Amino acid sequence: MEAALYGPGGFYVRPGGPGPAGHFRTSVHASALYAGAVARLLCDVDEALGRPRRLDLVDVGAGRGELLTGVLAALAPEVAERVRPHAVERAARPEGLDPRIRWVAEPPEGTTGLLFANEWLDNVPLDVAEDGRYVLVSPDGTQTPGGPLDGADRAWLERWWPAAAAEEGGRAEIGRARDEAWAAAVATLERGLAVAVDYAHTRAARPPYGTLTGFREGREVPPVPDGSCDVTAHVALDACAGPGAGLLTQREALTALGVSGGRPPLALASTDPVAYVRALSAAGEAAELTARGGLGDFGWLVQPVGIPPWPAA
């Protein structure tokens, strides 16, 4: 998985082309309302921090910088001038990106502000277990049984995916690497909020056969680790959560940030038809972002560091 995604010729580091956006659609690509919501979240964090002179915005797994570009455009000038945006990405910096955005390979240390990771953890490489053994995968996608699990991975399964650890035929993705990656990212924050948004499941409802899959050109495909497709698995977000963290659905989080799929009043169509059509379009986009059974079911892991919990009770 590491080689397929980030090795020479890997899916996420290949130069040129549309990048990941050409193969799958995230909330960032679905609507500018998403970047606007993240901008409002950044303002909430800014307020909780007492409006510091420097406000860091760190986008982990930044793709081509689409989210940061949208957030900067949505911010009021007096806030934007204090923001230091960082795009954390292993691919090369794209041409034409806003020069204010710093392009880095790792989250910067000592940040104060918002660290946001949209669909990053699902691409942190991990191992798959079946029947108490590792699953080995050849470059053509053929899977065969490997050696027995080591103690740390078995302990992770017993705690966080007990059905797969206990049942013959149980299959699971071992999320320990994601836990460690998220803890390392959160550790770079001095004060602020860390948020991970992803396909997710919790201990009470783990998928019985795992979720490992691939995506190419908008279609789900077998997870062949040859660099031709995204290789991804849903995230056990509850295992990643540190002390004081909260878990929400995207529907709950975006609702708290003012994103609503409610239709505009019909009377507006008579008084201002252009505004009505614009509001109707925005409502449709908001409905997609918050839809049950779709993007609205994504998990939001919200980890405050030195500030009160978000959203406020």
Side-chain angles (χ1 to χ4, degrees):
M1 189 171 178
E2 171 70 30
L5 298 180
Y6 306 112
F11 180 80
Y12 280 103
V13 297
R14 289 182 307 208
H23 297 270
F24 51 82
R25 190 163 178 260
T26 72
S27 297
V28 177
H29 309 119
S31 172
L33 293 175
Y34 192 76
V38 176
R40 288 190 290 278
L41 178 59
L42 178 63
C43 290
D44 287 351
V45 174
D46 185 34
E47 193 71 27
L49 291 168
R51 299 180 183 176
R53 287 197 304 170
R54 188 198 80 220
L55 181 62
D56 293 310
L57 174 59
V58 181
D59 182 10
V60 185
R64 297 297 187 264
E66 300 96 332
L67 178 59
L68 285 176
T69 299
V71 172
L72 290 173
L75 290 171
E78 60 270 20
V79 179
E81 68 184 8
R82 292 189 289 112
V83 171
R84 290 180 55 184
H86 296 81
V88 182
E89 185 56 71
R90 293 170 71 168
R93 182 188 182 99
E95 294 183 3
L97 188 66
D98 189 323
R100 291 175 293 177
I101 298 174
R102 297 164 172 83
W103 198 263
V104 295
E106 300 288 342
E109 297 287 342
T111 60
T112 299
L114 174 64
L115 182 145
F116 200 86
N118 184 74
E119 294 194 46
W120 167 59
L121 284 174
D122 66 292
N123 290 126
V124 171
L126 46 58
D127 288 312
V128 176
E130 188 168 356
D131 291 335
R133 309 182 76 85
Y134 293 106
V135 175
L136 303 182
V137 186
S138 65
D140 67 358
T142 302
Q143 300 184 16
T144 55
L149 300 179
D150 68 25
D153 286 341
R154 181 174 293 280
W156 189 93
L157 281 181
E158 289 172 349
R159 179 178 181 187
W160 294 111
W161 206 317
E167 296 177 9
E168 184 176 342
R171 181 180 170 100
E173 294 99 25
I174 304 169
R176 191 164 62 90
R178 275 97 178 263
D179 299 356
E180 293 170 355
W182 181 242
V186 173
T188 65
L189 268 178
E190 283 191 359
R191 291 179 67 222
L193 190 70
V195 179
V197 182
D198 235 308
Y199 299 99
H201 46 68
T202 58
R203 191 177 186 275
R206 302 283 188 226
Y209 302 109
T211 60
L212 187 71
T213 191
F215 285 96
R216 182 191 300 116
E217 297 177 353
R219 296 183 179 182
E220 190 168 7
V221 297
V224 178
D226 61 1
S228 69
C229 66
D230 184 24
V231 178
T232 178
H234 295 197
V235 183
L237 273 183
D238 52 343
C240 297
L247 288 174
L248 301 85
T249 65
Q250 176 153 298
R251 181 182 181 87
E252 293 168 332
L254 292 186
T255 297
L257 291 166
V259 177
S260 170
R263 292 173 63 91
L266 191 58
L268 185 62
S270 301
T271 59
D272 192 341
V274 173
Y276 177 78
V277 171
R278 189 181 302 117
L280 193 63
S281 175
E285 294 176 7
E288 180 183 4
L289 290 172
T290 59
R292 291 188 174 93
L295 294 174
D297 289 344
F298 271 45
W300 279 48
L301 169 58
V302 181
Q303 179 75 60
V305 178
I307 64 171
W310 184 93

